[in-house]
């Protein structure tokens, strides 16, 4: 019997999950998303092309892979069908290699409006949501009002859709917010019809069956651990469990069937949207990171906030996820820096902490340790031995602090720009 391996982000998202899953897929047969929805933007770069996936698992371009959208995911049919069309232009039909859980919840056009209305009403306190309707859809899921993929097959689908829409209209009337869903609703209904060519499945049974038959399965996380609804920087988080625990509920896999947990982090740190970010840089160095790292959102195009690596938050994420190995991304972005800093502790009200506290607002001051930069181009390096000593020292320090080996180092966006240890 196989165990399910997991790839997930340890920071505030955009760590490079799409690239890593694409690189690892040849060793797996099945790739499954377990939470999140089109708030995700996972970039894949190969053969001179760049793809951004939002709902479809990042194994989709590999021949013979099976890609499962699990029950924990929320789906906007319009965005999913747009994505499918773009993939099929490059890769041909994916009808047979994309399976969708009947239990996955649907994002209605009015969920998007509720997301936008709620954000507008929050003013300066807004979350910085991607406005894809994620929060309102998960609210309807936990409130037991949601519509699911399996409901599309019911003769009552249209009636249930209308009833939920009317409920949303009632909620929207409490906001000073203008909207018109006519066009989007039409596209939505067309996309729902178009989706019927895919298999809607009991994904929990299918995945457990694969594992029982020794078929290797990889779970692909979205967002990052610090955006987790329970353990992230609440309320500036997303609405799902982004940590490894989410694999159990989002795919129906028992905890004792979870295998390796591969945690991804950038060699520095970014965040998009509002909320605490202790190591954020507001100076030229932050701008350099943004410029060299092309740190602009894959889903919304918004500039990402940039800063140094935060080991306090990283150690917390390693513990909470049970990370067994680390993957470091975008090391190449630091090529030209004279010195590289890492936060090893926080100072809060004169007290020093090396663990991640409940209080994580502006009162947190990071305490840094400095490392000399390597000042050379590592993009073409393919063997760990060939890395400059300064980078090896930086990696060793992270391994010592987290107690986890760094098994993969990414040195560029392309599929081939990777060093496996
Ligand atoms: P994800 O959401 O975790 O899949 O990450 P995103 O795709 O949103 O953001 C990662 C960005 O960094 C994308 O533009 C990738 O093409 C790019 N990228 C991934 N790995 C590397 C790397 O090692 N070096 C550089 N320079 N870019 C990378
Ligand atoms: P991937 O999978 C980075 C952030 C938003 C906002 C907060 C809530 O590409 O790493 P939501 O739309 O979920 O209600 O937004 O979470 N956020 C992400 N940030 N990467 C993502 O996904 C994100 N998905 C959501 O910017 O701050
Ligand atoms: Mg992303």
């Amino acid at each position: 019997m196989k165990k399910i391996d997991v790839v997930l982000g340890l920071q505030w998202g955009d760590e490079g999950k799409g690239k890593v899953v694409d690189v690892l897929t040849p060793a797996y047969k099945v790739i499954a998303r377990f939470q999140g929805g089109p708030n995700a933007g996972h970039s894949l770069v190969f053969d001179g092309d760049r793809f951004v996936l939002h709902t479809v698992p990042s194994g989709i371009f590999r021949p013979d892979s099976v890609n499962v959208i699990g029950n924990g995911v929320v789906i906007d049919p319009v965005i999913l069908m747009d994505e499918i069309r773009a993939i099929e232009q490059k890769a041909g039909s994916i009808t047979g290699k994309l399976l969708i859980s009947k239990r996955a919840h649907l994002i209605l056009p009015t969920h998007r409006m509720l997301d936008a209305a709620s954000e507008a009403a929050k003013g300066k306190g807004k979350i910085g949501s991607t406005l894809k309707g994620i929060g309102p859809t998960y609210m309807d899921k936990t409130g037991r009002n949601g519509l699911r993929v399996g409901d599309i097959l019911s003769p009552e689908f249209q009636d249930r859709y209308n009833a939920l829409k009317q409920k949303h209209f009632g909620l929207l009337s409490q906001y000073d917010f203008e909207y018109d869903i006519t066009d989007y609703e039409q596209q939505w209904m067309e996309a729902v019809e178009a989706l019927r060519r895919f298999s809607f499945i009991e994904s929990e049974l299918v995945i457990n069956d694969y594992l029982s038959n020794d078929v290797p399965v990889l779970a692909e996380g979205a967002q990052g651990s610090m955006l987790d609804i329970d353990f992230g920087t609440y309320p500036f988080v997303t609405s799902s469990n982004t940590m490894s625990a989410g694999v159990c509920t989002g795919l129906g896999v028992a905890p004792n069937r979870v295998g390796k947990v591969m945690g991804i982090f950038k060699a520095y740190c970014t965040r998009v949207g509002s909320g605490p970010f202790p190591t954020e840089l507001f100076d030229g160095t932050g701008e350099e990171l943004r410029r060299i790292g092309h740190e602009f959102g894959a889903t919304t195009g918004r500039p990402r906030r940039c800063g140094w690596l935060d080991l306090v938050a990283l150690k917390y994420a390693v513990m909470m996820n049970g990370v067994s190995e680390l993957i470091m991304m975008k090391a190449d972005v630091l090529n030209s820096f004279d010195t590289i800093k890492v936060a090893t502790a926080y100072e809060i009200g004169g007290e020093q902490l090396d663990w991640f506290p409940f209080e994580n607002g502006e009162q947190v001051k990071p305490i840094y340790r400095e490392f000399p930069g390597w000042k050379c181009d590592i993009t073409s390096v393919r063997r760990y031995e060939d890395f400059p000593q300064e980078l090896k020292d930086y990696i060793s320090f992270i391994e010592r602090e987290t107690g986890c080996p760094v098994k993969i180092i990414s040195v560029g966006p392309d599929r081939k720009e990777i060093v496996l240890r």
Side-chain angles (χ1 to χ4, degrees):
M1 191 186 78
K2 276 259 188 283
K3 293 193 173 191
I4 189 168
D5 290 343
V6 184
V7 160
L8 44 71
L10 299 177
Q11 296 162 322
W12 280 278
D14 302 328
E15 296 88 352
K17 299 174 290 292
K19 168 175 172 168
V20 168
V21 170
D22 175 52
V23 167
L24 295 179
T25 299
Y28 293 88
K29 169 80 182 167
V30 184
I31 311 299
R33 276 277 305 270
F34 59 92
Q35 47 67 236
N39 48 350
H42 295 181
S43 319
L44 278 61
V45 180
F46 58 93
D47 303 344
D49 275 333
R50 163 179 285 273
F51 279 92
V52 181
L53 300 175
H54 301 287
T55 322
V56 175
S58 301
I60 196 73
F61 288 104
R62 297 290 193 174
D64 304 325
S65 63
V66 175
N67 295 266
V68 179
I69 300 176
N71 59 279
V73 177
V74 291
I75 298 175
D76 182 328
V78 178
I79 297 178
L80 177 53
M81 276 315 300
D82 280 350
E83 199 175 327
I84 288 167
R85 282 184 209 106
I87 296 168
E88 290 189 329
Q89 271 189 2
K90 164 96 185 168
S93 171
I94 58 165
T95 308
K97 61 193 286 198
L98 180 67
L99 310 175
I100 308 173
S101 169
K102 286 183 190 164
R103 297 182 192 274
H105 279 247
L106 292 169
I107 303 175
L108 271 56
T110 37
H111 282 132
R112 290 167 62 103
M113 297 304 115
L114 283 165
D115 206 359
S118 158
E119 281 285 82
K122 284 193 165 121
K124 276 184 82 177
K126 71 174 184 191
I127 309 292
S129 153
T130 60
L131 303 180
K132 304 294 178 197
I134 304 295
T137 306
Y138 279 115
M139 279 167 71
D140 270 340
K141 174 178 177 173
T142 51
R144 296 157 296 180
N145 297 311
L147 267 184
R148 297 183 290 174
V149 167
D151 297 328
I152 293 173
L153 307 173
S154 155
E156 282 143 37
F157 179 69
Q158 191 66 48
D159 291 344
R160 293 186 52 192
Y161 170 87
N162 286 334
L164 189 52
K165 179 174 80 171
Q166 289 307 325
K167 188 164 181 285
H168 292 163
F169 282 162
L171 294 171
L172 282 161
S173 68
Q174 294 165 34
Y175 292 97
D176 179 18
F177 184 78
E178 280 189 31
Y179 61 93
D180 176 6
I181 60 162
T182 325
D183 286 349
Y184 203 79
E185 186 177 50
Q186 195 189 333
Q187 289 176 48
W188 196 89
M189 289 298 171
E190 286 165 10
V192 163
E193 277 311 303
L195 273 183
R196 282 169 171 265
R197 76 167 143 109
F198 293 93
S199 300
F200 300 163
I201 59 163
E202 278 79 5
S203 58
E204 63 282 18
L205 301 182
V206 171
I207 286 183
N208 279 289
D209 233 40
Y210 275 128
L211 293 172
S212 297
N213 287 302
D214 270 339
V215 175
V217 183
L218 180 67
E220 172 180 1
Q223 290 77 56
S225 301
M226 303 316 289
L227 290 170
D228 183 273
I229 182 74
D230 280 278
F231 299 106
T233 46
Y234 191 90
F236 301 100
V237 293
T238 191
S239 299
S240 63
N241 281 117
T242 58
M243 294 199 187
S244 53
V247 174
C248 299
T249 52
L251 290 174
V253 178
N256 62 356
R257 290 195 128 181
V258 175
K260 275 199 287 192
V261 178
M262 295 171 266
I264 312 189
F265 68 102
K266 279 180 192 168
Y268 48 99
C269 200
T270 66
R271 169 162 208 170
V272 60
S274 333
F277 180 4
T279 59
E280 182 170 13
L281 293 166
F282 299 95
D283 56 6
T285 310
E287 260 161 51
E288 279 294 280
L289 285 170
R290 187 173 310 113
R291 184 181 63 77
I292 303 172
H294 303 289
E295 295 296 356
F296 296 89
T299 295
T300 58
R302 291 178 291 177
R304 294 177 183 148
R305 301 155 62 191
C306 296
W308 296 119
L309 183 65
D310 181 342
L311 269 179
V312 182
L314 190 70
K315 282 186 339 198
Y316 183 69
V318 165
M319 172 182 79
M320 302 299 294
N321 285 298
V323 171
S324 46
E325 45 193 78
L326 288 166
I327 301 178
M328 183 163 106
M329 308 300 287
K330 302 190 93 159
D332 56 295
V333 173
L334 300 178
N335 282 344
S336 58
F337 287 74
D338 293 326
T339 50
I340 292 158
K341 292 193 194 177
V342 186
T344 53
Y346 293 160
E347 195 191 291
I348 304 178
E351 214 187 316
Q352 201 165 311
L353 301 183
D354 63 356
W355 46 273
F356 195 82
F358 175 83
E359 297 79 9
N360 48 33
E362 276 169 13
Q363 70 271 43
V364 174
K365 302 265 172 295
I367 297 168
Y368 288 112
R369 174 160 172 167
E370 263 187 43
F371 289 81
W374 41 93
K375 306 279 284 175
C376 64
D377 188 359
I378 57 164
T379 314
S380 54
V381 174
R382 294 292 173 269
R383 296 185 325 162
Y384 188 80
E385 306 82 84
D386 299 335
F387 274 144
Q389 191 55 45
E390 292 85 353
L391 174 55
K392 289 185 193 161
D393 292 343
Y394 185 58
I395 293 171
S396 299
F397 180 73
I398 294 167
E399 290 182 321
R400 271 201 311 279
E401 287 283 309
T402 57
C404 256
V406 176
K407 286 287 184 91
I408 300 177
I409 299 103
S410 177
V411 293
D414 193 274
R415 209 185 240 180
K416 298 203 180 90
E417 288 166 329
I418 199 118
V419 174
L420 309 173
R421 252 172 124 183

